Amino acid sequence: MLDKILFLLCLASALADERCMPDTPHGFQVRLSIKTALGDEAYVWNENEMFLFRASLAFAMRNHMNGQQFEVSNIIVCNETMRVSFWFIVTSPLDTSQLIDQENVEAAIRQSRNRINSAFLLTDKTLEFVDILPTLATLYTHPTPPWLIVFGVVMGAVSAGIIIMLVSSVVQKKRKTNRKPQDEDDDEETRVKTVENGDAHDGIHNMSFSEDERFTKM
Amino acid sequence: MRLKLKLPNPGLDDRIPSHEQLEVMEKEEAGDRPKWDNKAQYLLTCVGFCVGLGNVWRFPYLCQSHGGGAFMIPFLILLVLEGIPLLHLEFAIGQRLRKGSVGVWRSINPYLTGVGIASLLVSFLVGMYYNTIMAWIMWYLFNSFQNPLPWSQCPLNANNTGYVEECSRSSTVDYFWYRETLNTSTAIDESGGLQWWMVLSLVAAWGLLYVCCIRGIETSGKAVYITSTLPYLVLTIFLIRGLTLKGSVDGIKFLFTPDVNELMNPQTWLDAGAQVFYSFSLAFGGLISFSSYNSVHNNCEQDAVLISLINGCTSVYSATVIYSIIGFRATEKFDDCMSDNIMKLINAFNYAENSITESNYNDALNYLNQTNPDVIQGLDLQTCDMQTLLSQGVEGTGLAFIVFTEAIIKMPISPLWAVLFFIMLFCLGLSTMFGNIEGVVVPLQDLRLLPRSWPKEVFCGLTCLVSFAFGLIFAQRSGNYWLALFDNFAGSIPLLVIGFCEMFAVIYIYGVDRFNKDIEFMVGHKPNIFWQVTWRVVSPVIMIVILVFYFVTQVTKNLTYLVWDQEVSFPTLEPRAFPSWIYVIIFILAGIPSLSIPIFALFKFIQRKCCKKEKRADFTVETISAKIIMDDKIKF
């Protein structure tokens, strides 16, 4: 209960600046999606978190505009909603009546975006600065496309296979032609044997016929 | 019903080996003809030939679009009445006459050689474009060996401020398919030149095919042990993975929910009949060839029934797996769509997070629409509908390369699933290509156009080389449109014509009585009344009906093709009419194989008439030496 009162008081003090309003030309809207990002481990958004936000934004401004000592009081926040979205403007540390223009604020945020994100355990998508587009990460380009490597491997295997098959066919054929004259000699011997050892009942083996067969085969 | 129609066919006994000669050949094991190492090899090769990419990406689409579970009824009926009889016929005639397709039809009657030549031409044309799909699959497979997968991200534009426009307007998977893979042009007549990465993939596809087919079934018979069994393993892995994903059961339910009204639609029965016919890879000549390497007494009847059952079951199984993954993808897209809309609402009205969830979204939207209608209008909310997402009707290359790849990138460990999926598609396609190559190489050898002394390796190499050279059409920027053209015309009507002619030739020219006796000799019993009725009447009638309807629908409708054009109706495909010269190409693709049947019959007729005198002289030689020479001829 006390927290809530304090919260409202701080809001009131922040709201005191009329220059901070929705659609202000000098500031930006911020949207946080804590539950989407963290699920069960989501933290509750309260004035301490808001203080952290203002501090990290001051840090970002200090980084960008060297020399100027931005304080938490230079970051003015207004129009906080249940969504967890709000508007903010930045005043110059030297003269609080002067506002820092949009381009500088945008550049500062862009520069330190990562640091701001990690302070809240969020990402570019869940900690949204409306109208500041996140710089897209360049995709990693491989020195040699991986598909070419796989292609090379496959083609190497295929070529090796073709060569092995063709060579083995040629070798097999050569072995066959070398064996053929040997086989024919064996055939002739066996044929002669059957004639010699053959039974009289088998009939006469017509030698002229078998020779003819061999010739017509060639 | 006993039709005793038989056309006169003189000299048939001289052209075919008799039963006694078959027994002798069986015992002697004439080493000239290749043989299967074992029955499993033969069955796996036939299953591999029949089970192809169509089982994975055509049947699920037909099933879902024609009334889900109800589609099984026409599919099963036509499988039994059309598929099994034709398959049995091809197996039996190949096993009996022991020749490839040209040899078989030439033996039955020399006037029928045209049927074999038509099979050869169709196998060649289909092989050409089928292997291009294999090249695409290999390209995706090569690209799957990286994390993150290349189709999961859009490339950045020139000044790194955002994504490439074409990619952000469509989707990452669309962009990768149409731009980085095909680099598609906007019309079929804009050829756009050869894409070097596609040419390399084509080289890989034809090279791998050549290695596996280099010695015919000697090498491909070993390869099928892997290529025919691996798809089943991968399908099972995907089924288990799919069932553990959210929304998969919705997909399966969507697939099988029957809509009995679809059975009244004649288009359903036509599509079922066409699917059965093409799914069995009939009329390519490859099955006749494979069956001719069997032993004479192999039970071809049992084989036909077994392979038909396996083919049918595989179709249903793969449809289940595919739709479980599609269900997952649809659920993911639905969830993304809903959370997008919810985020828009809570951002616009600054509600706390999680105040609007999927369950109260509709109530919240209605309330807000009544209170602030103008704000709601400005938000441009999308309607998220599960039914639309599930029926994003996809078949063919769209299913594999767009829908499935999108589902894969949403799964954890995406590269693993991508590699498995594309290896499965590759194996399915490769085993079908074995049959195609067989249907080209063996008839080429039978036709004796090239010297017989050339070894099989050279025939195979020549076929692969010529097909690759012609297939470079598909490596152009307009290649996808050419492929769709080939798919629609070369692989449809000619096959139906050839299938019908095959049936007619065997039953009425060869003679169903002689065929019955042959089967009795080979298998041991005469084919029963089911086979008689289906062979003589039922299957030819079904095929004529499908052929006529197909022909009529193709001729009457305005022929268009779907174009990927950034200017018009992006990112959906836009139908565009063909230029007039394409009709010539269509005629060549569909007409020439079909017309080669009568043309060749005419050619043989003229040849007989003018050379009749010489032929008479041949037949009168009756000496012993002449008879010996004739015996040698018959052996081969």
Side-chain angles (χ1 to χ4, degrees):
Chain A
M1 185 64 201
L2 214 62
D3 286 351
K4 281 204 180 135
I5 297 172
L6 263 156
F7 177 65
L8 281 166
L9 277 171
C10 289
L11 202 61
S13 58
L15 275 171
D17 197 329
E18 298 114 4
R19 294 173 295 179
C20 176
M21 56 188 175
D23 300 322
T24 170
H26 303 284
F28 287 99
Q29 188 183 15
V30 183
R31 227 182 255 145
L32 288 102
S33 312
I34 308 172
K35 292 213 182 91
T36 317
L38 301 170
D40 290 332
E41 294 166 25
Y43 48 81
V44 178
W45 186 260
N46 53 24
E47 50 135 316
N48 296 337
E49 305 284 346
M50 181 55 86
F51 181 80
L52 179 60
F53 179 80
R54 292 164 73 199
S56 38
L57 217 54
F59 161 77
M61 293 306 300
R62 283 198 188 192
N63 267 349
H64 178 64
M65 305 180 88
N66 279 324
Q68 298 200 39
Q69 303 282 61
F70 285 88
E71 296 294 338
V72 176
S73 49
N74 291 120
I75 315 292
I76 303 171
V77 168
C78 57
N79 268 70
E80 239 188 285
T81 65
M82 288 293 291
R83 169 71 179 83
V84 195
S85 71
F86 47 85
W87 288 84
F88 71 91
I89 52 171
V90 183
T91 59
S92 165
L94 307 164
D95 176 14
T96 46
S97 56
Q98 261 207 332
L99 293 177
I100 308 287
D101 54 302
Q102 266 197 338
E103 287 97 38
N104 273 322
V105 177
E106 180 170 341
I109 291 173
R110 273 231 163 93
Q111 200 179 340
S112 312
R113 187 70 183 263
N114 255 350
R115 300 295 297 274
I116 304 176
N117 282 350
S118 21
F120 289 95
L121 308 173
L122 296 173
T123 64
D124 277 355
K125 230 183 146 199
T126 40
L127 173 53
E128 203 186 333
F129 287 88
V130 179
D131 292 333
I132 300 183
L133 300 166
T135 44
L136 301 161
T138 45
L139 304 166
Y140 173 64
T141 44
H142 308 262
T144 28
W147 76 265
L148 217 48
I149 300 173
V150 183
F151 170 77
V153 168
V154 168
M155 280 315 286
V158 164
S159 321
I162 293 178
I163 293 173
I164 291 174
M165 286 287 172
L166 291 175
V167 164
S168 68
S169 304
V170 169
V171 164
Q172 256 183 17
K173 272 223 172 105
K174 280 209 176 130
R175 270 201 209 136
K176 250 192 186 166
T177 46
N178 281 340
R179 218 185 276 155
K180 245 199 175 155
Q182 272 189 1
D183 275 344
E184 285 184 354
D185 288 337
D186 287 336
D187 273 343
E188 208 180 294
E189 284 181 29
T190 50
R191 225 169 260 158
V192 166
K193 278 195 186 141
T194 47
V195 167
E196 288 182 347
N197 302 336
D199 235 348
H201 302 293
D202 271 355
I204 309 161
H205 184 87
N206 195 337
M207 284 296 296
S208 59
F209 238 66
S210 55
E211 277 179 21
D212 267 2
E213 270 188 298
R214 239 188 288 151
F215 280 133
T216 49
K217 259 185 197 162
M218 284 170 69
Chain B
M1 225 186 316
R2 292 196 128 246
L3 290 175
K4 281 289 182 180
L5 172 69
K6 185 186 180 309
L7 299 171
N9 194 1
L12 182 60
D13 289 305
D14 295 329
R15 295 191 293 265
I16 62 175
S18 69
H19 292 180
E20 294 77 34
Q21 283 170 326
L22 283 178
E23 289 280 18
V24 168
M25 279 187 338
E26 179 80 0
K27 291 200 185 102
E28 280 180 10
E29 294 191 9
D32 208 21
R33 198 154 179 80
K35 251 172 45 124
W36 297 109
D37 287 345
N38 50 48
K39 185 77 182 274
Q41 214 179 58
Y42 165 63
L43 285 176
L44 282 175
T45 307
C46 288
V47 164
F49 187 26
C50 296
V51 171
L53 296 170
N55 294 66
V56 165
W57 71 35
R58 176 89 178 131
F59 177 79
Y61 168 74
L62 283 178
C63 200
Q64 170 259 308
S65 64
H66 283 300
F71 184 73
M72 297 295 166
I73 297 174
F75 182 71
L76 284 171
I77 291 179
L78 288 167
L79 187 105
V80 167
L81 292 179
E82 182 198 352
I84 304 187
L86 268 168
L87 199 62
H88 188 198
L89 189 114
E90 288 211 357
F91 280 163
I93 201 73
Q95 198 172 297
R96 166 69 179 88
L97 298 179
R98 319 198 68 68
K99 294 227 176 86
S101 64
V102 162
V104 157
W105 306 117
R106 189 168 48 198
S107 302
I108 292 183
N109 194 317
Y111 288 118
L112 287 176
T113 323
V115 178
I117 294 182
S119 285
L120 164 68
L121 289 173
V122 168
S123 285
F124 176 70
L125 289 172
V126 170
M128 245 168 77
Y129 81 77
Y130 207 86
N131 222 30
T132 308
I133 301 179
M134 300 290 290
W136 289 341
I137 293 172
M138 288 193 91
W139 161 259
Y140 267 81
L141 180 62
F142 293 157
N143 273 297
S144 303
F145 288 95
Q146 50 184 295
N147 195 15
L149 293 169
W151 55 83
S152 61
Q153 305 162 319
C154 273
L156 299 175
N157 62 14
N159 41 8
N160 280 10
T161 49
Y163 296 120
V164 169
E165 193 204 326
E166 190 179 357
C167 190
S168 50
R169 280 175 68 193
S170 56
S171 73
T172 56
V173 277
D174 280 320
Y175 181 77
F176 187 76
W177 170 236
Y178 286 110
R179 189 55 49 211
E180 296 199 18
T181 305
L182 299 174
N183 196 9
T184 184
S185 62
T186 51
I188 196 168
D189 26 6
E190 287 171 37
S191 86
L194 293 175
Q195 310 301 298
W196 64 270
W197 59 93
M198 273 296 113
V199 176
L200 285 184
S201 306
L202 261 178
V203 168
W206 282 110
L208 201 56
L209 183 64
Y210 181 50
V211 151
C212 293
C213 284
I214 196 166
R215 281 200 211 141
I217 64 167
E218 209 183 304
T219 42
S220 69
K222 309 282 190 306
V224 289
Y225 285 121
I226 299 177
T227 61
S228 295
T229 51
L230 195 64
Y232 290 97
L233 182 64
V234 175
L235 276 175
T236 311
I237 294 176
F238 263 101
L239 184 68
I240 298 174
R241 170 79 268 216
L243 288 175
T244 58
L245 293 169
K246 179 186 172 199
S248 53
V249 184
D250 294 324
I252 299 178
K253 267 193 248 169
F254 180 74
L255 172 71
F256 287 122
T257 313
D259 175 11
V260 196
N261 293 323
E262 279 285 338
L263 291 179
M264 303 298 147
N265 181 8
Q267 189 64 34
T268 306
W269 291 84
L270 257 165
D271 280 340
Q275 173 63 15
V276 165
F277 186 77
Y278 299 133
S279 163
F280 276 74
S281 303
L282 296 160
F284 280 96
L287 288 172
I288 299 181
S289 244
F290 287 145
S291 178
S292 70
Y293 304 134
N294 272 325
S295 87
V296 174
H297 292 294
N298 173 53
N299 193 342
C300 51
E301 182 180 3
Q302 213 177 48
D303 294 342
V305 174
L306 184 64
I307 290 179
S308 313
L309 283 176
I310 293 179
N311 196 8
C313 290
T314 309
S315 294
V316 176
Y317 188 51
S318 61
T320 313
V321 174
I322 296 285
Y323 264 84
S324 74
I325 304 290
I326 287 185
F328 159 71
R329 171 188 171 267
T331 309
E332 284 280 309
K333 286 197 104 155
F334 179 76
D335 285 347
D336 284 343
C337 178
M338 285 296 274
S339 46
D340 242 4
N341 283 355
I342 291 176
M343 191 58 73
K344 279 187 188 151
L345 277 181
I346 61 177
N347 282 352
F349 294 99
N350 283 320
Y351 290 147
E353 285 179 279
N354 291 352
S355 54
I356 304 182
T357 57
E358 273 188 38
S359 40
N360 58 10
Y361 171 77
N362 283 324
D363 302 327
L365 185 62
N366 283 335
Y367 171 72
L368 289 170
N369 219 355
Q370 287 163 2
T371 50
N372 301 57
D374 41 334
V375 181
I376 298 288
Q377 291 283 35
L379 280 180
D380 187 27
L381 295 172
Q382 308 242 336
T383 34
C384 308
D385 179 30
M386 264 302 265
Q387 293 295 100
T388 334
L389 288 171
L390 279 169
S391 60
Q392 258 168 355
V394 266
E395 53 161 336
T397 51
L399 175 70
F401 300 125
I402 297 180
V403 171
F404 219 84
T405 44
E406 193 170 16
I408 285 178
I409 53 180
K410 296 190 200 287
M411 294 193 227
I413 327 173
S414 318
L416 170 69
W417 305 113
V419 168
L420 274 178
F421 178 63
F422 290 113
I423 284 187
M424 173 185 85
L425 287 186
F426 180 71
C427 286
L428 282 171
L430 190 65
S431 48
T432 309
M433 281 307 295
F434 291 156
N436 258 319
I437 290 288
E438 184 77 13
V440 174
V441 168
V442 172
L444 265 183
Q445 285 181 313
D446 281 346
L447 278 176
R448 299 186 198 139
L449 291 170
L450 303 166
R452 276 203 106 199
S453 57
W454 285 9
K456 191 155 195 162
E457 288 89 338
V458 175
F459 275 98
C460 199
L462 219 64
T463 309
C464 289
L465 201 64
V466 172
S467 299
F468 166 72
F470 278 105
L472 287 173
I473 307 173
F474 306 117
Q476 296 172 323
R477 289 188 61 188
S478 52
N480 192 25
Y481 307 134
W482 282 100
L483 198 129
L485 190 73
F486 269 66
D487 192 22
N488 274 327
F489 296 108
S492 56
I493 291 181
L495 285 172
L496 288 165
V497 170
I498 297 171
F500 175 74
C501 289
E502 284 189 358
M503 213 162 218
F504 189 80
V506 170
I507 299 302
Y508 296 112
I509 301 181
Y510 184 74
V512 69
D513 294 325
R514 183 190 282 265
F515 193 55
N516 284 333
K517 285 206 196 86
D518 286 336
I519 295 185
E520 193 175 351
F521 164 71
M522 291 194 295
V523 171
H525 60 265
K526 196 176 154 185
N528 60 30
I529 186 74
F530 167 74
W531 302 112
Q532 305 300 326
V533 169
T534 47
W535 282 334
R536 288 179 213 222
V537 178
V538 177
S539 301
V541 162
I542 292 178
M543 283 201 317
I544 289 189
V545 167
I546 296 178
L547 177 62
V548 165
F549 269 96
Y550 220 93
F551 193 71
V552 164
T553 45
Q554 291 286 51
V555 164
T556 51
K557 75 177 179 196
N558 278 332
L559 294 170
T560 59
Y561 65 108
L562 297 169
V563 176
W564 176 260
D565 193 342
Q566 291 196 58
E567 322 286 317
V568 193
S569 86
F570 202 74
T572 51
L573 299 168
E574 193 227 344
R576 192 171 290 179
F578 281 121
S580 43
W581 54 269
I582 287 286
Y583 291 94
V584 178
I585 308 271
I586 293 178
F587 176 74
I588 293 177
L589 288 175
I592 291 195
S594 319
L595 289 176
S596 66
I597 301 176
I599 287 177
F600 213 81
L602 200 65
F603 168 70
K604 258 280 159 28
F605 182 68
I606 296 173
Q607 202 187 43
R608 276 269 165 95
K609 282 268 166 171
C610 75
C611 310
K612 221 180 187 177
K613 295 173 191 154
E614 295 170 31
K615 290 269 170 174
R616 278 223 190 99
D618 267 338
F619 280 139
T620 51
V621 175
E622 288 283 341
T623 56
I624 301 172
S625 50
K627 272 221 171 103
I628 293 169
I629 296 167
M630 276 180 71
D631 269 333
D632 269 356
K633 267 200 193 142
I634 287 175
K635 256 191 201 154
F636 298 112

